[in-house]
């Protein structure tokens, strides 16, 4: 804590001591490393009956306590892991049904004053080609995403730099929401803009709230302080662990209801990090009555001129990745879980089965790459290298073949189903009902406007099946669903429950 606020002037102006201290409990922060290590060592060799009791608790959609999560993380027996994976799949089905949400990342600027060892955008990487999009360029990117590919949700991403401050971020969001493009049978627009940017002050977060931000997402990267210090060099804003740790407290205080937390897996021991995510979720639930809307778990990927990536000793294997995803699904059963195009196709398919609810597609992370046809996967323009660059059409088709409906629904936050309200609905398995209806309607829109013939064919079958289920399971909603469905088929857009 000593050197927390002894930065050069321009940096200490960003970090507001008071906006950290107000959340600190008497006994320090909510991440107590000794306690996490103790929980992990006290819960070794859990009995099968103990594990099954924990699985029953997850099935009732309750957040686990640290001893319970530590027990799951300590399972050694293969058959017991199979039970854990199967239960994670069931929990996901209860909360989210067969729905997958898709989005696209939109990188707006690669300028950054931080120096994170794992990132190609770090300030000392003088070889990377940097760019900041103007509002006109942002508009062009959004037009391609909404008008040609058919995305309805974006996550806008920025490095940390004075030229991309909260005012710029707010302007980019406003610009994106204004885009409306004619499509084959209707029009396309971006209906939810989530943000992944540096931690901000409450004052700045309110600016994002005002322009209608969806989820505010910041990854802690690692909850382990010594590792945090090592990978985020001193005299950078990001080196302040607590400024980052409490940014979701500030976001919730600023009125942003949906917050997303995450870890960059590969920096430190994965079991410790899963415990960190659990403590973070429980802290938000305890203080605000709202847990994380989403949890992300990127694994560290190769990045241009970034040798650290090859040197880390904590790389997470595919087998452990599956375990950590299942344990997160069971520990925080209501949360949305995001798997990105960092991961290759096969891994994405498998992880969606056991817990993930959101993914990106048609992904390009070069700055300006959606509208600039010549700017394809060029390492020197990107933060890292992607594992899966398939189109949204291919991904949607694959999901439909697996029995999952791609939802383009963004109704929740526009109807006030955010924060505490959505937590309750999710915990009681009620949100799945609204989502099922809206998934059908938005899928219909997307098939009409953007799908290839091949995807349309598989998609139509899935829609028929889903409509039948609604008729049986929620008969009271069926007539209105049918009415909306027909209006959408006639070219109306954006009708929702
Ligand atoms: N600059 C902001 C920040 O650091 O919070 C915005 C986010 S950054 C552009 C998005 C996230 O990408 C980071 O939080 C980090 O977890 C992840 N990331 C950075 N380098 C990566 C790499 N080499 N492989 C995979 N993910 C990486
Ligand atoms: Fe900058 Fe974010 Fe990359 Fe760190 S991870 S160097 S803060 S863009």
């Amino acid at each position: 804590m000593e050197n927390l606020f002894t930065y050069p002037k321009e940096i200490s102006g960003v970090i507001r001591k008071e906006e950290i201290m107000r959340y600190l409990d008497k006994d320090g922060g909510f991440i107590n490393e000794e306690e996490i290590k103790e929980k992990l060592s006290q819960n070794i060799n859990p009995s099968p009956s103990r594990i099954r009791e924990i699985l029953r608790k997850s099935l009732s959609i309750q957040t686990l306590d640290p001893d319970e999560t530590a027990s799951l993380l300590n399972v050694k027996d293969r058959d017991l892991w199979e039970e854990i994976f199967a239960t994670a799949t069931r929990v996901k089905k209860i909360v989210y049904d067969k729905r997958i949400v898709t989005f696209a990342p939109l990188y707006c600027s690669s300028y950054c004053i931080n120096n994170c060892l794992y990132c190609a955008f770090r300030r000392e990487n003088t070889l990377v080609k940097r760019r900041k999009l103007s509002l006109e360029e942002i508009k062009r990117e959004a037009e391609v995403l909404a008008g040609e590919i058919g995305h309805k949700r974006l996550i806008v991403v920025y490095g940390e730099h004075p030229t991309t401050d909260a005012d710029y971020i707010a302007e980019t969001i406003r610009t994106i929401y204004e885009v409306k493009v004619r499509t084959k049978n209707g029009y396309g627009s971006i209906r939810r803009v989530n943000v992944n940017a540096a931690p901000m002050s409450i004052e700045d977060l309110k600016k994002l709230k005002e322009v209608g931000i969806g989820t505010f997402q910041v990854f802690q990267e690692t909850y382990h302080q010594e590792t945090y210090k090592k990978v985020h060099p001193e005299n950078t804003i990001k080196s302040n662990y607590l400024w980052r740790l409490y940014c979701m407290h500030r976001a919730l205080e600023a009125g942003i209801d949906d917050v997303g937390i995450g870890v960059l897996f590969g920096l430190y021991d994965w079991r410790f990090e899963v415990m960190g995510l659990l403590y973070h979720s429980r802290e938000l639930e305890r203080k605000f009555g709202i847990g994380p809307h989403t949890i992300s778990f990127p694994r560290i990927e190769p990045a241009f001129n970034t040798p650290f990536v090859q040197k880390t000793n904590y790389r997470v294997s595919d087998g452990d990745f599956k375990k950590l995803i299942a344990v997160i699904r069971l520990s925080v059963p209501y949360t949305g879980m995001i798997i990105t195009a960092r991961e290759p196709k096969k891994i994405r398919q498998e992880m969606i089965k056991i817990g993930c609810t959101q993914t990106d597609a048609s992904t390009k992370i070069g700055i300006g790459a959606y509208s600039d046809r010549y700017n394809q996967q060029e390492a020197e323009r990107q933060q890292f290298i992607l594992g899966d660059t398939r189109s949204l059409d291919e991904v949607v088709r694959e999901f439909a073949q697996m029995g999952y409906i791609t939802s383009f629904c963004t109704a929740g936050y526009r109807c006030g189903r955010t924060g505490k309200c959505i937590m309750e609905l999710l915990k009681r398995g009620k949100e799945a009902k609204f989502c099922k209806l809206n998934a059908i309607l938005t899928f219909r829109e997307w098939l009409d406007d953007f799908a290839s013939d091949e995807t349309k064919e598989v998609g139509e079958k899935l829609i028929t099946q889903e409509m039948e289920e609604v008729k049986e399971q929620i008969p009271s909603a069926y007539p209105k669903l049918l009415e909306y469905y027909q209006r959408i088929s006639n070219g109306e857009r954006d009708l929702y429950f």
Side-chain angles (χ1 to χ4, degrees):
M1 289 280 294
E2 274 156 49
N3 291 328
L4 258 182
F5 305 103
T6 53
Y7 290 118
K9 208 160 152 263
E10 70 278 13
I11 293 181
S12 51
V14 174
I15 297 172
R16 300 186 183 182
K17 183 175 176 180
E18 190 277 319
E19 294 190 11
I20 295 175
M21 302 314 278
R22 69 206 287 174
Y23 306 116
L24 276 175
D25 297 326
K26 276 194 266 11
D27 51 351
F30 60 89
I31 296 291
N32 178 336
E33 296 189 5
E34 287 316 307
E35 188 178 312
I36 292 181
K37 286 182 179 160
E38 246 170 59
K39 297 280 177 202
L40 284 169
S41 61
Q42 280 165 359
N43 289 286
I44 46 167
N45 296 325
S47 67
S49 62
R50 162 89 173 133
I51 292 300
R52 289 185 188 124
E53 189 190 315
I54 297 169
L55 296 181
R56 276 194 295 278
K57 182 170 173 188
S58 297
L59 281 167
S60 68
I61 320 300
Q62 289 180 63
T63 309
L64 297 184
D65 69 33
D67 284 301
E68 292 163 337
T69 295
S71 301
L72 293 179
L73 290 167
N74 272 313
V75 166
K76 298 271 181 304
D77 182 78
R78 271 176 172 236
D79 292 339
L80 212 45
W81 270 114
E82 289 308 318
E83 282 183 46
I84 292 175
F85 297 143
T87 313
T89 305
R90 281 177 66 196
V91 167
K92 184 190 155 185
K93 173 88 170 67
I94 296 170
V95 183
Y96 289 93
D97 201 18
K98 289 175 285 183
R99 190 175 51 95
I100 301 290
V101 165
T102 51
F103 65 93
L106 172 51
Y107 275 70
C108 298
S109 169
S110 49
Y111 286 95
C112 194
I113 52 172
N114 291 316
N115 216 4
C116 314
L117 298 189
Y118 45 81
C119 178
F121 292 167
R122 71 192 184 286
R123 72 167 182 236
E124 279 177 9
N125 190 3
T126 49
L127 300 179
V128 81
K129 291 186 181 150
R130 296 185 196 266
R131 196 170 159 201
K132 170 192 161 187
L133 296 181
S134 66
L135 294 179
E136 190 47 45
E137 288 167 328
I138 297 272
K139 182 169 169 254
R140 278 211 295 278
E141 293 281 278
E143 281 170 353
V144 173
L145 286 157
E148 292 177 29
I149 304 170
H151 278 294
K152 308 280 183 238
R153 286 173 184 250
L154 299 185
I155 178 131
V156 282
V157 187
Y158 314 77
E160 183 162 21
H161 198 266
T163 59
T164 55
D165 59 7
D167 294 314
Y168 169 78
I169 295 177
E171 278 306 317
T172 57
I173 298 174
R174 216 192 311 268
T175 305
I176 292 167
Y177 279 135
E178 280 166 6
V179 163
K180 196 169 173 179
V181 197
R182 268 228 73 77
T183 54
K184 222 188 293 171
N185 293 304
Y187 68 90
S189 60
I190 300 297
R191 300 173 187 164
R192 180 172 172 120
V193 182
N194 301 327
V195 173
N196 187 319
M200 293 175 206
S201 65
I202 297 172
E203 187 187 350
D204 281 345
L205 286 159
K206 283 185 179 161
K207 294 178 185 169
L208 305 193
K209 164 80 182 163
E210 248 169 59
V211 291
I213 178 185
T215 307
F216 182 63
Q217 201 185 64
V218 173
F219 308 152
Q220 186 61 26
E221 319 294 14
T222 172
Y223 286 97
H224 187 251
Q225 295 211 36
E226 201 188 306
T227 306
Y228 191 91
K229 224 170 150 180
K230 234 179 351 199
V231 297
H232 303 115
E234 259 184 272
N235 282 330
T236 58
I237 298 175
K238 192 147 165 183
S239 71
N240 192 314
Y241 178 92
L242 293 180
W243 179 241
R244 200 162 181 93
L245 193 64
Y246 285 98
C247 72
M248 293 313 169
H249 290 59
R250 295 193 295 278
L252 289 161
E253 200 173 322
I256 296 174
D257 271 353
D258 290 343
V259 297
I261 62 174
V263 155
L264 180 57
F265 280 94
L267 297 177
Y268 188 60
D269 174 59
W270 64 270
R271 291 184 174 86
F272 181 95
E273 303 289 20
V274 172
M275 293 295 284
L277 289 168
L278 177 79
Y279 275 91
H280 202 163
S281 305
R282 290 175 62 87
E283 160 82 2
L284 297 176
E285 282 182 26
R286 189 168 63 89
K287 290 232 169 91
F288 300 93
I290 303 176
H293 186 68
T294 56
I295 295 185
S296 298
F297 25 84
R299 282 195 287 185
I300 200 159
E301 298 294 335
F304 176 68
N305 192 29
T306 305
F308 171 85
V309 169
Q310 268 74 39
K311 287 192 216 141
T312 175
N313 293 323
Y314 290 100
R315 198 167 286 286
V316 177
S317 69
D318 291 351
D320 289 343
F321 193 50
K322 185 171 175 185
K323 289 178 183 170
L324 76 85
I325 287 177
V327 175
I328 295 171
R329 168 50 64 223
L330 294 166
S331 300
V332 193
Y334 57 80
T335 200
M337 289 176 62
I338 305 178
I339 185 144
T340 68
R342 288 176 179 86
E343 298 294 340
K345 170 179 162 167
K346 225 176 127 263
I347 300 278
R348 293 218 284 176
Q349 276 176 344
E350 197 171 353
M351 303 313 158
I352 276 171
K353 280 189 203 142
I354 62 157
C356 298
T357 55
Q358 295 196 21
T359 195
D360 51 335
S362 283
T363 303
K364 291 187 182 174
I365 58 173
I367 318 286
Y370 292 108
S371 50
D372 175 359
R373 313 279 145 159
Y374 301 101
N375 178 358
Q376 297 307 317
Q377 272 236 72
E378 287 177 57
E380 70 268 29
R381 292 177 195 271
Q382 300 188 170
Q383 193 189 18
F384 50 82
I385 313 292
L386 295 171
D388 185 358
T389 52
R390 283 175 304 152
S391 70
L392 181 58
D393 186 75
E394 282 171 273
V395 171
V396 169
R397 181 163 68 241
E398 174 192 276
F399 288 157
Q401 283 156 347
M402 291 163 71
Y404 293 108
I405 183 160
T406 303
S407 174
F408 294 91
C409 168
T410 52
Y413 93 111
R414 293 185 294 163
C415 300
R417 290 200 298 275
T418 58
K420 237 182 227 171
C421 166
I422 197 162
M423 288 290 118
E424 284 311 310
L425 290 167
L426 288 168
K427 284 181 191 164
R428 287 188 280 126
K430 290 267 167 68
E431 180 65 5
K433 180 184 117 180
F434 286 112
C435 291
K436 197 177 182 66
L437 303 169
N438 289 328
I440 294 173
L441 295 174
T442 53
F443 195 45
R444 175 74 273 159
E445 274 191 24
W446 189 85
L447 287 179
D448 284 348
D449 280 339
F450 303 102
S452 64
D453 291 343
E454 213 181 337
T455 303
K456 218 170 179 172
E457 199 185 318
V458 200
E460 300 282 0
K461 280 192 199 137
L462 190 61
I463 284 200
T464 313
Q465 218 172 295
E466 290 286 298
M467 300 274 281
E468 280 306 310
E469 279 185 20
V470 172
K471 202 167 165 184
E472 254 173 52
Q473 294 164 8
I474 358 176
S476 57
Y478 188 70
K480 193 163 170 194
L481 174 70
L482 213 55
E483 180 209 321
Y484 279 6
Y485 187 84
Q486 256 135 28
R487 282 167 59 188
I488 284 173
S489 303
N490 293 335
E492 263 188 79
R493 291 289 172 263
D494 208 13
L495 301 171
Y496 52 83
F497 284 84

